[in-house]
Amino acid sequence: GAGVSQSPSNKVTEKGKDVELRCDPISGHTALYWYRQSLGQGLEFLIYFQGNSAPDKSGLPSDRFSAERTGGSVSTLTIQRTQQEDSAVYLCASSFEGYSNQPQHFGDGTRLSIL
Amino acid sequence: AQSVSQHNHHVILSEAASLELGCNYSYGGTVNLFWYVQYPGQHLQLLLKYFSGDPLVKGIKGFEAEFIKSKFSFNLRKPSVQWSDTAEYFCASRGGTDKLIFGTGTRLQVFP
């Protein structure tokens, strides 16, 4: 079946612009995660959605970052007034449940480059 | 805050050599542990996971990892690597929350 789908695969934009990154999780997966993979920094947790519960936003690095998940499926990560340090690969993952023994399935990521 | 340390940033091996990648986690309670692999140009894939039971976990492609609670370690091993194992390997832990905490990754290069 289809895996986690992210779009666009690459995004180049100028500093100060807003960007939107999209994630389509695996159908039926109730949990959705956003991570950021920066060069030399490893993977960094950003935000987590589980069903109808309030999202865990503890990993968002600043108030320029926000995310929503509409209808419990597709999620959009928005970065406002982008900065060069926002350049990274943004990864989305989903799992059947957000807890216990369910592994996360990752998308291919969106490579974001801020000029 | 929880953390995961991967001490080997870049490992270079010849085919048939044995592999051990170190991973240490910090969470002191009940913990789930994972190794993910990212082959060149591909997305992250789960290699193996530990939740409970036998501390020696077998994964795909001949990989295994041993959970040693007293050492807070979950090292990845493979007796004989292949060129196709060239990839980046990430250790991750999950304890007390739903968040996966990742290490910074180890880049493995295997030469034929």
Side-chain angles (χ1 to χ4, degrees):
Chain A
V4 176
S5 176
Q6 291 188 244
S7 61
S9 54
N10 281 285
K11 177 73 176 178
V12 181
T13 193
E14 294 179 345
K15 177 182 170 181
K17 301 286 188 184
D18 297 350
V19 295
E20 281 190 356
L21 312 180
R22 177 187 168 104
C23 173
D24 273 287
I26 292 172
S27 178
H29 279 191
T30 57
L32 187 147
Y33 307 77
W34 283 98
Y35 297 91
R36 179 168 68 175
Q37 186 176 18
S38 304
L39 193 63
Q41 299 290 323
L43 277 155
E44 174 189 11
F45 166 80
L46 297 177
I47 188 170
Y48 158 61
F49 297 90
Q50 166 58 359
N52 295 321
S53 302
D56 178 353
K57 304 179 182 180
S58 61
L60 295 178
S62 78
D63 59 7
R64 296 185 295 105
F65 287 72
S66 62
E68 61 178 24
R69 189 178 184 192
T70 54
S73 180
V74 172
S75 177
T76 302
L77 177 69
T78 302
I79 309 173
Q80 296 178 308
R81 305 181 303 281
T82 52
Q83 303 294 314
Q84 287 186 330
E85 62 262 27
D86 300 335
S87 296
V89 175
Y90 289 81
L91 289 165
C92 178
S94 70
S95 65
F96 181 64
E97 294 173 358
Y99 194 64
S100 190
N101 56 352
Q102 298 298 325
Q104 297 177 19
H105 300 263
F106 285 81
D108 289 336
T110 294
R111 183 174 298 278
L112 177 63
S113 301
I114 309 299
L115 303 178
Chain B
Q2 291 188 48
S3 64
V4 174
S5 300
Q6 291 183 243
H7 311 295
N8 317 102
H9 299 294
H10 191 190
V11 174
I12 301 173
L13 295 173
S14 298
E15 276 193 319
S18 64
L19 170 72
E20 181 160 1
L21 302 182
C23 172
N24 288 94
Y25 62 93
S26 67
Y27 186 70
T30 300
V31 67
N32 301 150
L33 296 162
F34 307 81
W35 276 97
Y36 281 85
V37 59
Q38 188 171 26
Y39 297 103
Q42 296 187 27
H43 59 262
L44 277 166
Q45 300 171 45
L46 182 66
L47 201 54
L48 50 77
K49 61 184 187 288
Y50 170 80
F51 291 112
S52 63
D54 189 343
L56 185 61
V57 179
K58 305 284 188 182
I60 60 172
K61 303 184 181 184
F63 285 90
E64 65 179 30
E66 185 174 11
F67 169 56
I68 303 179
K69 188 174 182 179
S70 61
K71 294 185 179 179
F72 291 82
S73 71
F74 191 57
N75 292 355
L76 181 70
R77 300 194 293 248
K78 185 171 183 177
S80 176
V81 294
Q82 301 173 311
W83 176 78
S84 58
D85 294 324
T86 294
E88 189 149 15
Y89 293 80
F90 293 91
C91 182
S93 73
R94 183 170 63 196
T97 73
D98 298 327
K99 290 181 285 192
L100 272 177
I101 308 297
F102 285 86
T104 52
T106 298
R107 183 176 299 277
L108 173 65
Q109 281 185 288
V110 180
F111 289 95

